[in-house]
Amino acid sequence: MSGKYDDLSKAQLIELLEKRDRTKKLGLVWERDEIAADQAIDENFIACEIVPELSDKPAPWTNMIIEGDNFDALRWLRMTLSGRVKCIYVDPPYNTGNKDWVYNDRYMDKEDRFRQSTWLEFLFERISLARDLLAEDGVILVSINDEQRALLELMMDEAMPGKRIATFTWRTRTGGNDSKGAFISENHEHVLIYGGPDFRFGGYEKTFEKYIFWDEERKDHYRLSDISQPKDMNERINGFYAMYDPQTDTYYPPNPQRVWPSPFPKGAKYDATDYPDLMPVFPPDEATKGKLPAKDQISKWVKQRRIVFPDDQRVEVFDDIDALRVAIDAADVPMARKTKKIWREMPHLEFWVGKRIGYGIPQWVRYKKELKNATQPVSSWITPLAETYTLPATEEIDPNAHLVSGSTQEGTTDIQDIFGSKAFNYPKPVSLVREMVRQATSQTGIVLDFFAGSATTAQAVMELNAEDGGDRRFIMVSSTESTEDEPDKNLCRDVTAERVRRLNASDDPKYDGLAAPFAYLRTREIAFEDLDYDLAPKDAWAALETLHGLPLTIYEDAAVWNAHESEGVTLVMVDKYDAALLDWLREKSRQNVFVYAWAPGQLARELGDVEVEIRSVRDTLVRGFQQ
């Protein structure tokens, strides 16, 4: 073995081989150095420093905008917010090769044969960190175009095994004229959805407009709906029978493409093929009683009035087989759109001669109180605002059960309205992100976007909070995107944070009620061996406040100890021991008091009779960072 393995120790080689043995044989493969990737996670410590002059509104700040490489920011967030983020939405670079993203201070070359591997590894490292931030009922939503969807989905299956939920399909525009060689215009993108075991979308409130009937005996409203099942007569032979109304002596033929429900529960021994000479009838009539299994559930449902037969309908009786055949040829028999329910080659065609044949359709009674959920699930199709009229309003598909979003033009227009110029390319529409966040969160929870760009996600959270009085918090992460050609460029400061600043200060009625105070933080790398000297108390304080779910405040350097009191927890960080602290803590006499110190040993001795938890600043942060 030679080349890139020469400098590896025996232990590292064994670790590499063991990892490869555990790797699934079926899946996505890309060029990656696993050992280098693992080492990069703990290569150095990351601190986040609050920049007061770039923050907005007075402290305390419930929201954060973090400037820096999102790999560094995610490592800091994993240390402070592991398992507590409700919703992550990201719109990562799509790797088109057209200078759409910066990596290691260089643009990717469209002709680079390792371009895909570099892109996949770049995202894999970040998605793996983001996975650890999700709460058990959390979700990550990732936008991607059609070209890269398959690669990204397979990579996310690796990074988040067993967590795939579904995919939203979003109509980005209408009537695109640009096309590829095959003369097809791509007008859609995808949003991949991966979530924790307890995650559920909020869904949409069910409409009860169809529950127009009243059952006096049950004291409940009900509606009538389709009773058939989506199986044809070959798939469900047990559903191919004549449904019989004993009150009117009327028979209803099955739709061969969508048969009646099975007359017997699962596990019951019944097979219509056991009766080749008999047209099954349920409930049994006089001719079939004793010839078919007893206690069918159709008879039970009819008796319970769960099946309702039409009152006002056409009924025909054909006196001979010839008359029936004439009606069949003329399509003058019961129909399911263009499908004849009685046809010439139908098994037991002669059965229908001399019978009262109903042209209507029996229906199932659905009671309002029997609804399993107060909401209905979200559709995977995101409908453009301009096309909401196309949504089907049928018995089974409610037009309100769809996400409705603007197109890419909406995103561009928003940026121009806020900045007065095209400050950012290809922004997503606020309506798209807002509706996904609405579905993924309650009125509280942390929403993270670590490819924040133009801060569309921040505005989406602000709009939702203004609408429903919610207390959702956002964390936006964005790099400067400075390069050798543009060393002074700072996307995070001048676009991401600036958008929120302008929304906070706007007097435009369109943005009325939008407010989100935020702390502006900047990542900083610290070598572990220098941690005791280079980790500033104010940076440790920001990390500890975040760790305890507290809004961020300014650390007072002149104070020998800082305290942050809230309803549920009191946080104290001691720079130097002060006897006054002992008296202050005794006066508090409350639970959930956490005292952090750089040298906790002496403090623990002094506070021996005070019921507080004393922790080491350094050990707590390092342990959380290296989890």
Side-chain angles (χ1 to χ4, degrees):
M1 191 176 294
S2 60
K4 65 179 181 179
Y5 302 109
D6 289 346
D7 58 346
L8 298 183
S9 67
K10 180 180 178 180
Q12 288 175 322
L13 287 170
I14 291 173
E15 181 184 357
L16 182 60
L17 289 171
E18 287 177 344
K19 276 195 172 184
R20 291 185 177 177
D21 287 342
R22 293 193 300 268
T23 301
K24 296 185 291 291
K25 303 302 179 185
L26 178 64
L28 180 66
V29 176
W30 70 92
E31 293 290 326
R32 69 185 308 257
D33 188 330
E34 295 182 26
I35 289 178
D38 288 346
Q39 290 175 338
I41 296 289
D42 296 326
E43 182 179 6
N44 48 37
F45 184 84
I46 300 298
C48 272
E49 174 188 4
I50 296 177
V51 186
E53 62 271 21
L54 294 180
S55 303
D56 198 50
K57 306 292 185 183
W61 297 291
T62 55
N63 304 290
M64 302 182 200
I65 294 179
I66 304 176
E67 175 194 309
D69 188 319
N70 52 16
F71 180 71
D72 292 342
L74 285 167
R75 289 192 287 160
W76 186 83
L77 289 170
R78 189 178 67 159
M79 172 180 67
T80 55
L81 283 175
S82 182
R84 288 159 51 198
V85 175
K86 175 63 175 170
C87 176
I88 300 174
Y89 169 73
V90 289
D91 183 19
Y94 286 1
N95 195 30
T96 62
N98 295 323
K99 295 186 177 182
D100 69 330
W101 64 294
V102 181
Y103 184 65
N104 288 340
D105 288 335
R106 66 183 178 86
Y107 286 112
M108 292 301 299
D109 185 351
K110 192 173 184 177
E111 304 302 321
D112 183 355
R113 70 189 185 96
F114 294 111
R115 175 170 63 95
Q116 303 287 23
S117 289
T118 304
W119 178 72
L120 286 167
E121 180 61 17
F122 173 86
L123 291 180
F124 181 79
E125 292 174 349
R126 286 151 179 80
I127 295 294
S128 297
L129 288 167
R131 172 195 63 211
D132 295 339
L133 298 178
L134 281 182
E136 289 292 292
D137 61 348
V139 67
I140 180 168
L141 306 149
V142 185
S143 283
I144 194 63
N145 63 0
D146 199 55
E147 180 180 358
Q148 301 290 352
R149 183 203 60 78
L151 286 177
L152 182 61
E153 191 166 25
L154 287 171
M155 183 278 289
M156 290 195 65
D157 287 344
E158 289 282 329
M160 304 186 68
K163 295 184 181 295
R164 184 184 185 279
I165 294 175
T167 304
F168 284 134
T169 302
W170 170 50
R171 184 77 174 270
T172 60
R173 60 181 181 174
T174 57
N177 291 319
D178 57 320
S179 64
K180 296 184 176 181
F183 204 61
I184 180 171
S185 182
E186 292 184 356
N187 290 338
H188 74 282
E189 288 187 3
H190 305 274
V191 181
L192 308 184
I193 310 166
Y194 287 73
D198 298 333
F199 174 75
R200 281 172 60 93
F201 284 111
Y204 290 93
E205 185 176 350
K206 290 183 176 178
T207 175
F208 299 117
E209 294 175 356
K210 295 175 183 145
Y211 290 81
I212 59 176
F213 305 104
W214 174 255
D215 187 320
E216 180 62 29
E217 184 178 333
R218 286 177 174 256
K219 305 296 183 185
D220 193 12
H221 286 94
Y222 67 92
R223 71 181 181 96
L224 302 178
S225 66
D226 184 13
I227 194 175
S228 64
Q229 58 175 318
K231 302 291 182 181
D232 64 32
M233 59 182 293
N234 295 314
E235 294 174 293
R236 291 290 186 273
I237 187 63
N238 287 352
F240 190 75
Y241 55 86
M243 191 174 290
Y244 177 58
D245 178 5
Q247 296 297 319
T248 62
D249 191 34
T250 304
Y251 297 80
Y252 297 87
N255 176 356
Q257 305 300 325
R258 192 178 174 93
V259 296
W260 301 127
S262 172
F264 296 100
K266 289 182 179 180
K269 294 182 179 179
Y270 167 74
D271 187 345
T273 58
D274 293 338
Y275 307 90
D277 300 325
L278 180 70
M279 178 71 192
V281 178
F282 293 98
D285 60 4
E286 291 300 324
T288 57
K289 283 181 179 178
K291 297 181 181 180
L292 291 172
K295 298 182 180 179
D296 65 286
Q297 59 186 8
I298 302 300
S299 298
K300 179 183 70 174
W301 288 337
V302 169
K303 185 177 180 180
Q304 294 173 344
R305 299 197 301 274
R306 296 307 300 259
I307 295 177
V308 173
F309 295 98
D311 288 328
D312 185 15
Q313 64 167 334
R314 178 184 174 187
V315 176
E316 294 288 350
V317 177
F318 298 99
D319 295 327
D320 55 58
I321 194 70
D322 291 333
L324 180 57
R325 287 175 176 147
V326 169
I328 291 172
D329 293 342
D332 195 25
V333 291
M335 304 283 290
R337 296 190 178 182
K338 295 183 179 181
T339 300
K340 297 174 182 177
K341 296 184 180 180
I342 301 176
W343 66 102
R344 279 180 171 267
E345 298 77 20
M346 181 182 187
H348 313 297
L349 178 63
E350 66 282 355
F351 167 84
W352 300 98
V353 175
K355 300 284 197 308
R356 285 173 51 86
I357 302 173
Y359 280 59
I361 303 173
Q363 292 183 288
W364 178 251
V365 175
R366 295 186 182 274
Y367 287 99
K368 184 177 177 181
K369 291 179 180 177
E370 292 179 348
L371 290 171
K372 293 181 179 179
N373 297 297
T375 58
Q376 55 191 346
V378 180
S379 170
S380 61
W381 174 252
I382 299 177
T383 302
L385 281 167
E387 294 186 9
T388 52
Y389 68 89
T390 65
L391 293 174
T394 68
E395 286 285 335
E396 301 302 328
I397 303 176
D398 192 310
N400 294 322
H402 287 245
L403 290 176
V404 177
S405 165
S407 65
T408 52
Q409 181 59 41
E410 178 197 303
T412 301
T413 301
D414 278 338
I415 290 293
Q416 291 174 339
D417 286 347
I418 295 169
F419 287 93
S421 63
K422 189 178 180 181
F424 190 82
N425 292 324
Y426 313 117
K428 289 292 186 289
V430 174
S431 57
L432 170 70
V433 183
R434 182 187 64 235
E435 295 311 307
M436 290 192 296
V437 172
R438 184 199 304 277
Q439 283 295 324
T441 65
S442 60
Q443 291 184 310
T444 60
I446 299 171
V447 179
L448 167 65
D449 184 344
F450 56 88
F451 283 103
S454 63
T456 299
T457 305
Q459 182 174 338
V461 171
M462 295 168 74
E463 290 187 3
L464 282 175
N465 285 342
E467 177 185 325
D468 62 17
D471 192 28
R472 303 169 187 85
R473 299 159 51 198
F474 65 71
I475 301 174
M476 301 292 106
V477 179
S478 184
S479 67
T480 63
E481 291 199 4
S482 62
T483 64
E484 292 181 359
D485 295 334
E486 296 179 285
D488 297 325
K489 181 179 180 180
N490 193 325
L491 177 73
C492 187
R493 179 193 63 204
D494 300 334
V495 177
T496 311
E498 184 63 19
R499 180 175 189 167
V500 182
R501 285 192 204 98
R502 294 191 182 200
L503 290 173
N504 281 337
S506 177
D507 56 5
D508 187 332
K510 179 180 178 181
Y511 305 120
D512 185 42
L514 301 193
F518 66 86
Y520 190 99
L521 298 95
R522 186 174 286 136
T523 61
R524 185 164 60 92
E525 298 180 359
I526 303 174
F528 277 101
E529 58 269 24
D530 299 330
L531 201 57
D532 290 334
Y533 308 100
D534 291 350
L535 179 59
K538 60 185 177 64
D539 298 341
W541 181 243
L544 292 173
E545 285 184 311
T546 306
L547 183 65
H548 285 276
L550 297 169
L552 297 182
T553 59
I554 295 295
Y555 183 82
E556 296 182 28
D557 286 305
V560 292
W561 49 274
N562 276 248
H564 188 152
E565 296 182 79
S566 73
E567 185 176 342
V569 62
T570 295
L571 176 67
V572 179
M573 193 173 89
V574 181
D575 192 25
K576 296 177 182 177
Y577 175 70
D578 183 350
L581 174 63
L582 184 62
D583 296 331
W584 186 84
L585 287 172
R586 283 186 176 136
E587 290 176 2
K588 295 301 167 185
S589 64
R590 61 160 67 182
Q591 296 180 345
N592 294 327
V593 178
F594 298 91
V595 179
Y596 287 87
W598 301 95
Q602 178 189 358
L603 191 62
R605 289 190 295 271
E606 297 290 344
L607 297 177
D609 61 337
V610 181
E611 293 185 4
V612 297
E613 185 167 342
I614 302 173
R615 298 176 178 178
S616 164
V617 174
R618 188 188 196 283
D619 291 350
T620 298
L621 296 181
V622 171
R623 185 167 56 251
F625 192 84
Q626 295 181 326
Q627 60 180 293

